[in-house]
């Protein structure tokens, strides 16, 4: 099968595509899913072409094809970069991807050692801390003008502080450094948005500076914890060992960049999209509240499917030839796995355009497809969504989005930067 050119009016490489309302985006994905093979796109913008003139790609939009590519790392590699379309210098991959940008055996080694740090005791501590932070966040609302009906920004007051505080507490980052972590993570994932990275600047230098700042912060923590161990995750990561191997300070720093960016931004956006959905679908809110504890495991999966915080991840063909979705591929071809499209695939979900907290089974791709790169933080994300909405809906059952969300300018993250909200009807 030859390359399928862009369908008229659907250009996934154009900023205008990602600036349109979500309904238009999902309609375009529906049309692409109905097109045989994989659609081929040129480099997304002049900046990418300057970095890597060959930065073209195939759009993988069907649920089954995304799962197949995710489950076959021997043919579809992450090592050339999973979060960028152009091939980037190794220092970018190290700072911004950690194990996301690795294949076996290095990926296996790093993931096994990191997993060793998440002991049952550490997991119990994390779960307790999530509950404490959620109570604090909601209590602040109760003591603010919002309790008397004033409009507030749900992102800055609720959705952002929860995962940010949990991650900083988990890693032992001082409270005084939380704003620094927040700022750097916004720069890294919001590099295409003028609110975070003004136009005309050196994008590469700005990204590297943000990554280096986070890495420097946790590297200093590593040095402190090796001298004076505590109960935080930095201490546990420094001590974790598998078959005599330990993480270097640089690897711990890289993991922190991943955690502070991926763990912070994705949960923030899932929480924000959830409030929009619960405001627009009052029947679903009432259903969830009818038996919150029993229904939460199902409800949270639907929130993740619906929001699809990470729009895509990249894979690169590793073998001389490969085939996916009926498309013949060659070594070096790039694939963008569009989770946001797979999560609305009619062949995988009944009535996929419905926000349905009763949906089961729910084989969504919100934490990645099958295979070795399934999200290591999935349990934490589920816990944060459940606990935050437990606290919020119990104390303020009428909480709602009171205005239109301000969306992040990005083809990679389905982000909400600001969301006007009210605690009253």
């Amino acid at each position: 099968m030859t390359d399928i050119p862009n369908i008229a009016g659907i250009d996934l490489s154009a900023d205008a595509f990602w600036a349109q309302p979500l309904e238009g985006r999902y309609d375009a994905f529906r049309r692409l899913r109905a097109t045989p093979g994989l659609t081929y796109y040129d480099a997304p913008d002049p900046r990418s072409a300057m970095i890597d003139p060959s930065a073209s790609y195939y759009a993988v939009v069907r649920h089954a094809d995304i799962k197949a590519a995710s489950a076959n790392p021997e043919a579809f590699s992450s090592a050339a970069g999973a979060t960028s379309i152009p091939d980037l210098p190794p220092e970018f991959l190290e700072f911004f991807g950690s194990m996301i940008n690795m294949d076996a055996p290095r990926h296996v080694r790093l993931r096994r050692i990191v997993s060793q740090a998440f002991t049952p005791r550490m997991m119990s501590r994390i779960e307790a801390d999530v509950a404490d932070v959620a109570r604090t966040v909601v209590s602040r609302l109760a003591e603010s003008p919002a309790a008397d009906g004033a409009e507030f920004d749900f992102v800055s007051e609720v959705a952002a502080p929860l995962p940010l505080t949990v991650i900083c507490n988990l890693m032992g980052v001082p409270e005084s450094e939380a704003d620094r972590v927040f700022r750097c993570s916004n720069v890294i994932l919001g590099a295409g948005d003028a609110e975070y990275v003004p136009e005309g600047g050196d994008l590469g230098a700005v990204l590297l500076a943000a990554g280096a700042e986070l890495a420097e912060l946790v590297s200093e923590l590593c040095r402190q914890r090796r001298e004076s161990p505590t109960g935080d995750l930095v201490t546990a990561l420094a001590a974790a060992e598998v078959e005599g191997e330990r993480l270097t300070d640089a690897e711990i720093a890289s993991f922190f960049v991943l955690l502070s960016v991926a763990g912070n931004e994705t949960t923030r956006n899932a929480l924000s999209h959830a409030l929009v959905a619960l405001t627009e679908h009052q029947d679903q809110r009432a259903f969830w509240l009818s038996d919150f504890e029993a229904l939460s495991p199902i409800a949270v999966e639907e929130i993740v499917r619906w929001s699809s915080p990470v729009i895509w991840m990249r894979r690169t063909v590793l073998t001389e030839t490969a085939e996916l979705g009926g498309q013949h591929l060659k070594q070096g071809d790039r694939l963008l796995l569009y989770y946001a499209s797979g999560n609305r695939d009619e062949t995988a979900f009944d009535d996929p355009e419905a926000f349905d907290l009763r949906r089961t089974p729910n084989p969504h791709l919100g934490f990645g497809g099958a295979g070795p790169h399934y999200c290591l933080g999935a349990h934490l994300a589920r816990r944060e969504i459940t606990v935050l909405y437990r606290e919020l809906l119990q104390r303020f059952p009428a909480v709602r989005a009171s205005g239109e969300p301000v969306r992040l300018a990005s083809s990679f993250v389905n982000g909400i930067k600001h969301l006007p909200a009210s605690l009253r009807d």
Side-chain angles (χ1 to χ4, degrees):
M1 180 177 292
T2 58
D3 293 347
I4 298 173
N6 299 0
I7 295 176
I10 301 179
D11 186 359
L12 302 185
S13 290
D15 290 343
F17 178 87
W18 301 102
Q20 70 179 315
L22 290 180
E23 293 78 9
R25 181 188 302 181
Y26 290 126
D27 179 66
F29 279 135
R30 178 186 56 77
R31 292 166 58 196
L32 289 175
R33 289 193 298 272
T35 303
L38 308 179
T39 308
Y40 181 83
Y41 289 92
D42 293 324
D45 57 52
R47 291 174 301 174
S48 293
M50 288 172 62
I51 297 170
D52 182 356
S54 64
S56 56
Y57 60 95
Y58 289 92
V60 184
V61 296
R62 287 180 286 274
H63 188 278
D65 294 339
I66 294 169
K67 283 189 66 177
S70 301
N72 187 2
E74 291 79 16
F76 304 107
S77 168
S78 299
T83 60
S84 65
I85 299 174
D87 292 341
L88 298 178
E91 57 267 29
F92 273 78
L93 299 181
E94 288 295 327
F95 274 141
F96 305 127
S98 183
M99 64 183 74
I100 286 179
N101 292 324
M102 296 178 188
D103 292 331
R106 192 179 176 202
H107 174 263
V108 174
R109 168 192 170 271
L110 189 59
R111 186 157 176 142
R112 286 178 64 193
I113 298 175
V114 167
S115 297
Q116 283 287 314
F118 288 90
T119 62
R121 182 177 180 180
M122 178 64 71
M123 293 305 301
S124 295
R125 173 185 169 176
I126 292 171
E127 294 195 356
D129 191 53
V130 170
D132 289 343
V133 174
R135 281 192 291 270
T136 299
V137 167
V138 176
S139 293
R140 285 198 198 112
L141 277 184
E143 297 166 0
S144 74
D148 297 322
E151 191 173 74
F152 66 99
D153 183 356
F154 184 80
V155 177
S156 63
E157 299 300 321
V158 179
L162 175 71
L164 176 67
T165 305
V166 168
I167 288 169
C168 287
N169 289 352
L170 175 63
M171 296 294 286
V173 175
E175 186 176 350
S176 60
E177 298 287 3
D179 287 345
R180 184 180 176 190
V181 175
F182 183 64
R183 172 178 54 79
C184 289
S185 65
N186 279 339
V187 168
I188 292 169
L189 279 184
D193 192 299
E195 181 173 342
Y196 300 126
V197 180
E199 294 183 8
D202 187 332
L203 182 61
V206 170
L207 287 172
L208 272 179
E213 194 169 343
L214 290 176
E216 180 183 6
L217 172 62
V218 83
S219 293
E220 177 58 31
L221 286 177
C222 285
R223 289 189 287 272
Q224 294 174 7
R225 297 304 184 265
R226 291 189 194 281
E227 295 177 3
S228 302
T230 65
D232 59 36
L233 186 59
V234 170
T235 301
L237 289 170
E241 182 177 315
V242 173
E243 297 177 356
E245 285 195 88
R246 292 189 175 188
L247 299 176
T248 66
D249 285 2
E251 287 172 330
I252 296 174
S254 180
F255 176 69
F256 173 64
V257 175
L258 172 63
L259 187 63
S260 60
V261 174
N264 174 21
E265 296 278 349
T266 54
T267 304
R268 176 209 307 187
N269 290 312
L271 292 170
S272 300
H273 281 282
L275 185 64
V276 175
L278 292 170
T279 301
E280 295 175 348
H281 304 275
Q282 292 290 327
D283 60 325
Q284 296 300 309
R285 177 201 299 258
F287 171 68
W288 195 5
L289 282 170
S290 69
D291 193 350
F292 186 89
E293 297 304 326
L295 296 173
S296 286
I298 300 172
V300 167
E301 299 306 317
E302 179 66 351
I303 287 170
V304 175
R305 181 194 77 88
W306 183 258
S307 59
S308 296
V310 175
I311 297 172
W312 55 262
M313 283 282 182
R314 173 186 153 190
R315 297 292 185 268
T316 305
V317 177
L318 197 60
T319 54
E320 287 188 10
T321 60
E323 185 172 320
L324 186 69
Q327 183 78 42
H328 295 295
L329 302 165
K330 63 183 183 301
Q331 189 175 49
D333 282 343
R334 296 173 177 81
L335 310 174
L336 295 198
L337 311 184
Y338 280 98
Y339 305 136
S341 175
N343 281 341
R344 304 290 178 111
D345 192 330
E346 305 82 353
T347 66
F349 303 95
D350 293 331
D351 195 8
E353 297 303 325
F355 178 66
D356 183 4
L357 299 184
R358 299 172 174 82
R359 188 181 299 278
T360 183
N362 192 342
H364 69 78
L365 304 166
F367 295 120
H373 286 278
Y374 184 82
C375 179
L376 190 63
H379 175 78
L380 177 59
R382 291 181 174 113
R383 175 74 175 168
E384 289 176 325
I385 296 168
T386 301
V387 173
L388 186 280
Y389 273 99
R390 176 191 294 137
E391 291 292 325
L392 189 61
L393 293 175
Q394 283 180 351
R395 298 186 66 173
F396 302 107
V399 62
R400 62 183 176 85
S402 56
E404 290 297 314
V406 179
R407 302 190 182 278
L408 181 71
S410 174
S411 69
F412 181 66
V413 176
N414 189 18
I416 294 179
K417 298 188 295 182
H418 307 288
L419 178 62
S422 174
L423 298 178
R424 297 184 176 184
D425 289 325

mmCIF file of all heavy atoms in Angstrom, residues 3 57 110 116 189 191 218 265 357 393 418:
data_model
loop_
_atom_site.group_PDB
_atom_site.id
_atom_site.type_symbol
_atom_site.label_atom_id
_atom_site.label_comp_id
_atom_site.label_asym_id
_atom_site.label_seq_id
_atom_site.Cartn_x
_atom_site.Cartn_y
_atom_site.Cartn_z
ATOM 1 N N ASP A 3 1.715 5.418 0.391
ATOM 2 C CA ASP A 3 1.367 6.410 1.403
ATOM 3 C C ASP A 3 0.032 7.052 1.078
ATOM 4 O O ASP A 3 -0.254 7.392 -0.069
ATOM 5 C CB ASP A 3 2.431 7.509 1.459
ATOM 6 C CG ASP A 3 3.758 6.970 1.978
ATOM 7 O OD1 ASP A 3 3.760 5.851 2.511
ATOM 8 O OD2 ASP A 3 4.774 7.684 1.825
ATOM 9 N N TYR A 57 5.702 11.662 9.440
ATOM 10 C CA TYR A 57 5.185 10.591 10.293
ATOM 11 C C TYR A 57 3.896 10.018 9.728
ATOM 12 O O TYR A 57 3.230 10.638 8.885
ATOM 13 C CB TYR A 57 4.940 11.111 11.714
ATOM 14 C CG TYR A 57 3.932 12.240 11.773
ATOM 15 C CD1 TYR A 57 2.577 11.997 12.038
ATOM 16 C CD2 TYR A 57 4.324 13.563 11.563
ATOM 17 C CE1 TYR A 57 1.664 13.029 12.085
ATOM 18 C CE2 TYR A 57 3.414 14.605 11.611
ATOM 19 C CZ TYR A 57 2.078 14.331 11.876
ATOM 20 O OH TYR A 57 1.168 15.355 11.909
ATOM 21 N N LEU A 110 15.903 0.093 34.226
ATOM 22 C CA LEU A 110 15.508 1.288 34.959
ATOM 23 C C LEU A 110 14.139 1.115 35.605
ATOM 24 O O LEU A 110 13.933 1.479 36.770
ATOM 25 C CB LEU A 110 15.498 2.489 34.006
ATOM 26 C CG LEU A 110 15.318 3.866 34.648
ATOM 27 C CD1 LEU A 110 16.423 4.133 35.662
ATOM 28 C CD2 LEU A 110 15.312 4.954 33.576
ATOM 29 N N GLN A 116 11.337 -1.059 42.533
ATOM 30 C CA GLN A 116 11.788 -1.532 43.832
ATOM 31 C C GLN A 116 11.577 -0.476 44.921
ATOM 32 O O GLN A 116 11.413 -0.807 46.093
ATOM 33 C CB GLN A 116 13.272 -1.905 43.776
ATOM 34 C CG GLN A 116 13.555 -3.233 43.103
ATOM 35 C CD GLN A 116 13.135 -4.407 43.973
ATOM 36 O OE1 GLN A 116 13.420 -4.436 45.155
ATOM 37 N NE2 GLN A 116 12.443 -5.354 43.367
ATOM 38 N N LEU A 189 5.966 21.138 28.938
ATOM 39 C CA LEU A 189 4.828 20.605 28.205
ATOM 40 C C LEU A 189 4.021 21.691 27.495
ATOM 41 O O LEU A 189 3.170 21.378 26.670
ATOM 42 C CB LEU A 189 3.909 19.811 29.141
ATOM 43 C CG LEU A 189 4.373 18.383 29.431
ATOM 44 C CD1 LEU A 189 3.348 17.645 30.273
ATOM 45 C CD2 LEU A 189 4.628 17.605 28.142
ATOM 46 N N ALA A 191 5.449 24.183 25.656
ATOM 47 C CA ALA A 191 6.437 24.909 24.847
ATOM 48 C C ALA A 191 5.830 25.550 23.610
ATOM 49 O O ALA A 191 6.375 26.516 23.081
ATOM 50 C CB ALA A 191 7.567 23.967 24.438
ATOM 51 N N VAL A 218 16.740 18.065 41.983
ATOM 52 C CA VAL A 218 16.696 16.732 42.586
ATOM 53 C C VAL A 218 18.088 16.138 42.751
ATOM 54 O O VAL A 218 18.312 15.315 43.643
ATOM 55 C CB VAL A 218 15.771 15.806 41.774
ATOM 56 C CG1 VAL A 218 16.477 15.197 40.571
ATOM 57 C CG2 VAL A 218 15.202 14.712 42.661
ATOM 58 N N GLU A 265 1.173 17.177 35.122
ATOM 59 C CA GLU A 265 0.344 17.746 34.070
ATOM 60 C C GLU A 265 -0.833 16.845 33.690
ATOM 61 O O GLU A 265 -1.945 17.328 33.486
ATOM 62 C CB GLU A 265 1.195 18.014 32.824
ATOM 63 C CG GLU A 265 2.289 19.043 33.019
ATOM 64 C CD GLU A 265 1.787 20.467 32.909
ATOM 65 O OE1 GLU A 265 0.635 20.651 32.470
ATOM 66 O OE2 GLU A 265 2.541 21.389 33.253
ATOM 67 N N LEU A 357 -20.341 7.194 32.850
ATOM 68 C CA LEU A 357 -19.661 6.669 34.032
ATOM 69 C C LEU A 357 -20.083 5.247 34.377
ATOM 70 O O LEU A 357 -19.547 4.665 35.312
ATOM 71 C CB LEU A 357 -19.916 7.597 35.233
ATOM 72 C CG LEU A 357 -19.409 9.034 35.070
ATOM 73 C CD1 LEU A 357 -19.621 9.826 36.350
ATOM 74 C CD2 LEU A 357 -17.938 9.059 34.671
ATOM 75 N N LEU A 393 -16.908 16.723 45.927
ATOM 76 C CA LEU A 393 -18.345 16.513 45.745
ATOM 77 C C LEU A 393 -19.071 16.313 47.062
ATOM 78 O O LEU A 393 -20.262 16.632 47.172
ATOM 79 C CB LEU A 393 -18.587 15.325 44.812
ATOM 80 C CG LEU A 393 -18.148 15.535 43.356
ATOM 81 C CD1 LEU A 393 -18.327 14.261 42.553
ATOM 82 C CD2 LEU A 393 -18.934 16.676 42.714
ATOM 83 N N HIS A 418 -6.745 27.219 32.233
ATOM 84 C CA HIS A 418 -7.594 27.933 33.182
ATOM 85 C C HIS A 418 -9.034 27.463 32.997
ATOM 86 O O HIS A 418 -9.456 27.181 31.868
ATOM 87 C CB HIS A 418 -7.515 29.451 32.958
ATOM 88 C CG HIS A 418 -6.119 29.992 32.961
ATOM 89 N ND1 HIS A 418 -5.361 30.090 34.111
ATOM 90 C CD2 HIS A 418 -5.324 30.446 31.954
ATOM 91 C CE1 HIS A 418 -4.183 30.585 33.815
ATOM 92 N NE2 HIS A 418 -4.114 30.797 32.508
#
